[in-house]
Amino acid sequence: MEKNNWFGRWIYSFIILSVGWLLFTFPYNQEELIVGLIASFVISLFTANFFKEFGLKSFSPMRIIGLILYIPYILWEIVIANLEVAKIVLSPNLPIKPAIVKAKTTLKSDFGKMLLANSITLTPGTLTLDIDGDDVYIHCLKIEDTSEENATKTITAKFEKHLRRFVV
Amino acid sequence: MEIIGIILISIGVIFSTLGALGLIRMPDIYNRLQTSTKATTLGAFSTIIGVGFMHPAWLIKTILIAFFILMTAPISSHNLGKAAHKAGIPLTDKTQIDECPQKEENK
């Protein structure tokens, strides 16, 4: 993994903080804008050291488009999984088949693994328990086939297909 | 706009209720965490967005809050599950397989 220089990380941190501030104070006036920019400037001086994996290249158009396309996809997955879990909760005999399965991930960066684990946990019915290297341990509420291949195919692969557009 | 907001808040309330019901009905801690993610995702998410639709001036802020919830809520579920597994809390009898190794961590 190549290291980003400090300046790139600082610019990244500054832009993220400023955009966040602008969105929060949306119908903004001049004083708020200036105070926000100064605060972003000072805070980004301190936080830049922590963003080891980010830099100016995080703002390439392909990555931003990939991220924007990922949000509707994950929301749709959440709605579908929510309806399935709602059906399980409401059925009288509680047809659950829980298991802790092991799946493989092909994502390499820490940020990519974090996004994958978060996506899996956000989807009701699957819960990431641990990540160890390339292995992801997932608790499933209902799964028929507990083999590693099936878990990789049905749980991690479908998120990775979309995640790989903007993370490695 | 108001009608969309009311519909979204109703969906949020329904799914929060189902999440609470699931908390009572599920047999062990891991399955309970599964249903509680439902309350935090669709429940909180659509309630907050629904408030944004009721007051269009707040819409961007509510979307941002919902985004932060989406980014941070799984972390607590994940840590609860991991801690429970590390502490050796038993899984329910219906569990088919447990492939997660019990390892000692010295960090």
Side-chain angles (χ1 to χ4, degrees), chain A residues 24 82 89 92 100 128 139, chain B residues 25 34 38 61 78 96-97:
Chain A
F24 255 123
N82 260 307
V89 169
I100 296 179
T128 314
H139 182 272
Chain B
R25 294 199 64 196
Q34 303 277 18
K38 185 163 56 178
K61 287 176 209 186
H78 155 70
Q96 303 171 79
I97 193 168

Side-chain angles (χ1 to χ4, degrees), chain A residues 23-24 75 82 86 89-92 94 97-98 100 102 118 121-122 125-126 128-130 137 139 141 143, chain B residues 18 25 30-31 34 37-38 41-42 60-61 64 71 74 78 81-82 94-99 101 103:
Chain A
L23 289 178
F24 255 123
L75 287 179
N82 260 307
V89 169
L90 286 177
S91 25
L94 211 63
K97 279 190 168 185
I100 296 179
K102 188 166 129 183
N118 262 9
T121 310
L122 266 179
T126 51
T128 314
L129 282 181
D130 206 349
Y137 298 99
H139 182 272
L141 189 59
I143 187 164
Chain B
L18 286 177
R25 294 199 64 196
Y30 307 97
N31 294 311
Q34 303 277 18
T37 46
K38 185 163 56 178
T41 53
L42 253 190
I60 290 175
K61 287 176 209 186
L64 206 60
M71 288 298 281
H78 155 70
K82 190 178 175 183
K94 287 185 183 172
T95 308
Q96 303 171 79
I97 193 168
D98 180 5
E99 294 202 351
K103 61 185 174 191

